[in-house]
Amino acid sequence: MGGDQGTGRAFVPGHVTGLFSIHRTNDPATTGSRGAGLTLETGVTVDVLPADTTAVSLNGDAIDIDAVELVLDAMDVTATVAATTALPLGSGFGVSGATALGTALAANAAFGLGRSENDLIRVAHVAEVEAGTGLGDVVAQARGGVPLRLEPGAPPSGTLDGIPGVGTVEYLDVGSLSTPAVLEERPAQITAAGTEALDRLRERPTLERFVATSRSFAEDAGLLTEDLREIVREVEATGGSASMAMLGRTVFALGTGLSDAGYDAERTNIDRGGATLRPD
Amino acid sequence: MGGDQGTGRAFVPGHVTGLFSIHRTNDPATTGSRGAGLTLETGVTVDVLPADTTAVSLNGDAIDIDAVELVLDAMDVTATVAATTALPLGSGFGVSGATALGTALAANAAFGLGRSENDLIRVAHVAEVEAGTGLGDVVAQARGGVPLRLEPGAPPSGTLDGIPGVGTVEYLDVGSLSTPAVLEERPAQITAAGTEALDRLRERPTLERFVATSRSFAEDAGLLTEDLREIVREVEATGGSASMAMLGRTVFALGTGLSDAGYDAERTNIDRGGATLRPD
């Protein structure tokens, strides 16, 4: 492997997908999603320490995250991986993708592997696709900001643009939803609605248009349940704009839209810089 | 134009190019450079205020920056543009590129133009190429981190990768150098040396290899003058690594390499996130 062994620490922002379409090929590196989302300053910090056998923990508790194991296998290393986050699991914040990408970045540093950022993004994206836990979070989380996923897959296949936007975002988590089940249930309906929504968003890529197209996508794809719709409507009634995180039972709003509507919501900001190593 | 008019503020990191090759086409959007550099937390903040006639200032003094005028022309607006920076002009920090890109981002916000980030990067890159003041700074500054410019030009032509790296950078500015003069003097020698250096760096994309390939590129391209070489050698003699900023009479070092060698250097960090809007 070469290089000095030490420890590695990386931070990866959370990612809320607002709209998407599904694109599968025979190659996990070119399989992925098109769509748009918000990356969040609330994210996942991952510490990697070389060890004889691999052990993964999330907020101090042992956990199996298939994508993390696949990342370490692909990099041909074993390590203790400790992830910490304030984000809920299974609620549409891309925690598995963030942990996989953070593991790739931190392991590259800890083992002195000398790989490029695109290489590490590809390893994490492939692991997420193979684990069946995500199609577009990793590339979005690597970029930061408000990513538009124009072409599916990892670099160099996947291509991105971004909506220029900064500011506060609020979210309210009302329970978890399994990613694979929902994706398999109605892929054609989702992809038709997501393709149309992304086209409309690209005509005018602003934060306001993002939330509006996400909201109509959630309806058109049949993903917005009555309890979430009720919360979105209350935010709109107080002059805010909100939609649903794909795929989770989570409502997000620009600014303080959820607080303004009387909800006890979590508050964060749009992440500026994407995934990054952190000094130990 | 549509949208509300207000003010816009953007921040763009400085950028020190360590090695490059020159690639000219008949189209400024696909003209550019390949190479590698460091983006810096010390950068340029740009405020744009719609106005009947355009006026540009840098740190409070009126100034003509061709690339900024070309950006506003391309966006079909006139405005007061106020740029502030702690970076020296003409010393290889990409101040003109940063000001052009910051103008594009801030004008898009101020005039409510609803353009995407790739669109704004392209406008600023084309303006820099047409003004003859830069070939690769804009796309690097938009990305942040330690960009590898794999293919020349603006998106979607230009493609980037990155070296995973964070930390302190020091620089010492010993006087300015005109960009166009040096580029025109020996383009073939520069491009041969830059192509070889980038290939070697891509074999092992680490910060240490970046400085080493930059150092040998500066020698091979005939750009390293005796006074700069002397400073680089003193940093190396105290165990540090340093090279020369392209194109300026500036030495940069990883960590505190210049201070450790006894120089009164400026200190900053590798920028994490690239160009971004700022709340006013």
Side-chain angles (χ1 to χ4, degrees):
Chain A
M1 272 166 320
D4 299 325
Q5 292 201 5
T7 60
R9 171 173 290 180
F11 169 79
V12 184
H15 178 243
V16 166
T17 290
L19 53 101
F20 69 101
S21 57
I22 303 162
H23 304 273
R24 295 194 189 278
T25 71
N26 289 327
D27 178 359
T30 57
T31 292
S33 57
R34 292 193 177 93
L38 302 172
T39 66
L40 305 177
E41 283 185 1
T42 304
V44 181
T45 299
V46 181
D47 285 288
V48 168
L49 182 70
D52 288 339
T53 55
T54 289
V56 182
S57 65
L58 184 69
N59 294 333
D61 297 322
I63 188 172
D64 286 324
I65 303 181
D66 289 349
V68 170
E69 309 253 351
L70 290 168
V71 163
L72 294 174
D73 288 350
M75 299 176 81
D76 201 19
V77 297
T78 52
T80 301
V81 177
T84 55
T85 186
L87 293 172
L89 252 180
S91 295
F93 292 96
V95 171
S96 70
T99 308
L101 179 55
T103 298
L105 284 163
N108 181 65
F111 291 93
L113 301 180
R115 294 193 178 205
S116 78
E117 291 185 336
N118 286 1
D119 249 6
L120 299 168
I121 295 164
R122 189 162 45 244
V123 165
H125 174 83
V126 165
E128 267 274 278
V129 170
E130 287 180 343
T133 42
L135 291 169
D137 286 325
V138 167
V139 297
Q141 289 165 326
R143 183 187 187 282
V146 188
L148 296 171
R149 305 195 304 283
L150 304 184
E151 295 299 335
S157 306
T159 58
L160 296 163
D161 194 350
I163 296 172
V166 288
T168 300
V169 175
E170 286 189 338
Y171 59 90
L172 184 71
D173 169 28
V174 297
S176 74
L177 190 69
S178 163
T179 299
V182 177
L183 285 181
E184 279 159 25
E185 215 169 90
R186 56 189 92 164
Q189 186 183 355
I190 287 172
T191 292
T195 300
E196 191 198 318
L198 184 59
D199 285 347
R200 261 191 308 135
L201 177 54
R202 290 188 67 186
E203 289 169 7
R204 186 169 174 83
T206 64
L207 287 178
E208 295 69 28
R209 177 72 66 100
F210 164 70
V211 179
T213 50
S214 170
R215 169 102 162 80
S216 55
F217 167 76
E219 295 280 8
D220 295 348
L223 295 167
L224 196 62
T225 52
E226 189 48 41
D227 56 340
L228 295 181
R229 186 182 294 116
E230 184 57 35
I231 299 169
V232 168
R233 282 189 177 149
E234 290 189 43
V235 173
E236 292 169 346
T238 53
S241 55
S243 183
M244 171 195 163
M246 315 295 164
L247 290 162
R249 291 176 46 72
T250 298
V251 173
F252 68 89
L254 297 182
T256 56
L258 280 158
S259 299
D260 296 349
Y263 288 98
D264 183 21
E266 301 296 324
R267 193 173 294 178
T268 184
N269 294 298
I270 294 172
D271 176 72
R272 180 187 156 216
T276 184
L277 283 178
R278 282 277 163 86
D280 289 334
Chain B
M1 275 172 311
D4 299 325
Q5 292 200 5
T7 59
R9 171 173 290 181
F11 169 80
V12 184
H15 178 242
V16 167
T17 289
L19 54 101
F20 69 103
S21 57
I22 303 163
H23 303 274
R24 295 193 188 278
T25 71
N26 290 327
D27 178 358
T30 58
T31 292
S33 56
R34 293 193 177 92
L38 302 171
T39 65
L40 306 176
E41 283 184 359
T42 304
V44 181
T45 299
V46 180
D47 284 288
V48 168
L49 182 69
D52 287 341
T53 56
T54 289
V56 182
S57 66
L58 184 68
N59 293 335
D61 298 322
I63 188 172
D64 286 325
I65 303 180
D66 290 350
V68 171
E69 309 252 352
L70 289 168
V71 163
L72 294 175
D73 288 352
M75 298 175 82
D76 201 20
V77 297
T78 53
T80 301
V81 176
T84 55
T85 184
L87 293 171
L89 252 179
S91 295
F93 292 97
V95 172
S96 70
T99 308
L101 179 56
T103 299
L105 283 164
N108 181 65
F111 291 93
L113 301 180
R115 294 191 178 207
S116 79
E117 291 185 336
N118 285 1
D119 248 5
L120 299 168
I121 295 164
R122 188 161 47 242
V123 165
H125 174 84
V126 165
E128 268 274 278
V129 171
E130 288 181 341
T133 42
L135 291 170
D137 287 325
V138 167
V139 296
Q141 289 165 325
R143 183 188 187 281
V146 188
L148 297 171
R149 304 194 304 284
L150 303 184
E151 294 299 333
S157 305
T159 57
L160 297 163
D161 195 349
I163 296 172
V166 288
T168 299
V169 175
E170 286 190 337
Y171 60 89
L172 184 71
D173 169 30
V174 298
S176 75
L177 189 70
S178 163
T179 300
V182 178
L183 285 182
E184 279 158 26
E185 215 168 272
R186 57 190 92 167
Q189 188 183 354
I190 287 172
T191 292
T195 300
E196 192 198 319
L198 184 59
D199 285 347
R200 260 192 309 135
L201 177 54
R202 290 187 68 185
E203 288 168 9
R204 186 169 173 83
T206 64
L207 286 178
E208 296 67 28
R209 177 74 64 99
F210 164 71
V211 179
T213 51
S214 170
R215 169 103 162 79
S216 55
F217 167 77
E219 295 282 7
D220 295 347
L223 295 167
L224 196 62
T225 53
E226 189 47 42
D227 57 342
L228 295 182
R229 186 182 295 113
E230 186 55 36
I231 299 170
V232 168
R233 282 188 178 149
E234 291 190 42
V235 173
E236 291 169 347
T238 52
S241 54
S243 185
M244 170 195 163
M246 316 294 165
L247 288 164
R249 291 177 46 71
T250 299
V251 173
F252 69 87
L254 298 182
T256 56
L258 281 157
S259 300
D260 295 347
Y263 289 97
D264 183 21
E266 301 295 325
R267 194 172 294 178
T268 184
N269 294 298
I270 293 172
D271 176 72
R272 181 189 154 214
T276 183
L277 284 178
R278 283 274 164 89
D280 289 333

